[in-house]
Amino acid sequence: MRIRTMSAAMAALTILAACSKQSGTEGNVRIALEQQSNLVDVSTKSSVGDFTTLPSASAFTVKISDAQDNITPVTDLSAPVTLTTGNYIASATYGSLSDEGFDKPCFKGEQSFSVNGSGSQTVTIKVKLAGCIVRFSFTEAFTNYFNDYSFTVTTGGGTEISVPKSETRAIFMDAYTFRLSGTLTSQSGATQTFAEKEFKNLEPATCYTVKFDASNVGSNSITISFDETTIDTDLVEVDLND
């Protein structure tokens, strides 16, 4: 099931204060962060905070770049930054898209602004999830029939993430593709696998659910649903001692 982004301000993370008078070629700028962390589904609403702890404003790397790509780090959001007249881009980053797995969200955002001489202003950067979320769901029929199961998610960047039966957390990953394989053990003790499946065209700031079902109990197939796609998947019995 696909979950699309809904713009919603979670928190404005700044304190406004009076600034000292500047010369005609300088101005004071304060940076504020606004987290757009809500995700919306057709029937239910959830946010990134349902799947991991959201970072505080102080955890972000914030910087200001000018037209010549000179960088001014912003280490204290409560303090103003003095800039000369010109055009700038303020950016904020938390985490990295290349660092994928459980509890590894990456947030990014940027905002263009100009300084036109003396005075002060607040520049708000709207930050949102830069990658996507993949979570797992299992029907009662599936969990009743399979005593044990585990999966391996391989992201487009080559990161392998193990998902055992006991794992309930969602995976944060770069949003474009991943491959899925798995091993299942039925009530009879038979161990089965399914051919690796690939899921493409993932979008940023979106939560996807991989749902497993075994509606035809006792057969050599299961059903895997992803977004609006449902796949009937054949199972192959294997001997783990080989």
Side-chain angles (χ1 to χ4, degrees):
M1 181 180 296
R2 184 170 183 169
I3 303 179
R4 294 194 167 85
T5 306
M6 179 183 70
S7 294
M10 188 193 78
L13 306 173
T14 192
I15 301 175
L16 301 180
C19 301
S20 60
K21 185 177 181 181
Q22 302 293 315
S23 67
T25 59
E26 293 182 339
N28 276 336
V29 175
R30 289 184 185 273
I31 303 298
L33 303 185
E34 182 181 280
Q35 293 194 32
Q36 297 183 305
S37 59
N38 285 353
L39 305 172
V40 62
D41 179 51
V42 176
S43 57
T44 61
K45 294 181 180 180
S46 61
S47 72
V48 181
D50 293 333
F51 306 105
T52 192
T53 301
L54 294 174
S56 63
S58 60
F60 281 80
T61 298
V62 182
K63 62 183 181 181
I64 298 173
S65 306
D66 65 14
Q68 288 73 43
D69 292 327
N70 297 311
I71 304 298
T72 301
V74 181
T75 57
D76 184 358
L77 293 179
S78 66
V81 178
T82 301
L83 301 170
T84 58
T85 298
N87 298 319
Y88 297 88
I89 297 177
S91 62
T93 305
Y94 174 85
S96 171
L97 283 176
S98 62
D99 189 15
E100 303 170 303
F102 303 108
D103 295 316
K104 293 184 176 182
C106 175
F107 291 91
K108 292 184 178 182
E110 65 178 34
Q111 180 63 50
S112 300
F113 67 97
S114 298
V115 173
N116 298 312
S118 61
S120 63
Q121 63 177 304
T122 297
V123 175
T124 300
I125 307 173
K126 295 182 178 181
V127 293
K128 66 178 182 179
L129 190 67
C132 70
I133 300 172
V134 175
R135 63 178 179 174
F136 289 80
S137 174
F138 308 93
T139 66
E140 185 176 357
F142 183 91
T143 56
N144 285 342
Y145 184 71
F146 293 103
N147 293 334
D148 195 18
Y149 43 87
S150 62
F151 306 96
T152 298
V153 171
T154 304
T155 70
T159 303
E160 288 192 359
I161 303 167
S162 177
V163 186
K165 177 183 178 181
S166 58
E167 185 59 73
T168 58
R169 294 174 297 173
I171 297 173
F172 291 84
M173 67 176 72
D174 198 354
Y176 59 104
T177 185
F178 72 91
R179 303 190 307 276
L180 175 68
S181 59
T183 301
L184 319 172
T185 302
S186 66
Q187 293 174 339
S188 65
T191 299
Q192 298 171 294
T193 63
F194 58 86
E196 188 175 67
K197 305 299 179 184
E198 185 173 15
F199 303 94
K200 301 180 179 180
N201 302 319
L202 280 65
E203 297 182 1
T206 305
C207 183
Y208 298 93
T209 300
V210 182
K211 184 177 182 180
F212 291 85
D213 188 20
S215 56
N216 190 8
V217 174
S219 70
N220 286 323
S221 68
I222 58 173
T223 299
I224 302 175
S225 301
F226 180 78
D227 195 17
E228 298 176 354
T229 303
T230 300
I231 307 170
D232 290 324
T233 305
D234 292 332
L235 299 176
V236 178
E237 189 165 338
V238 296
D239 187 347
L240 297 182
N241 294 322
D242 286 348

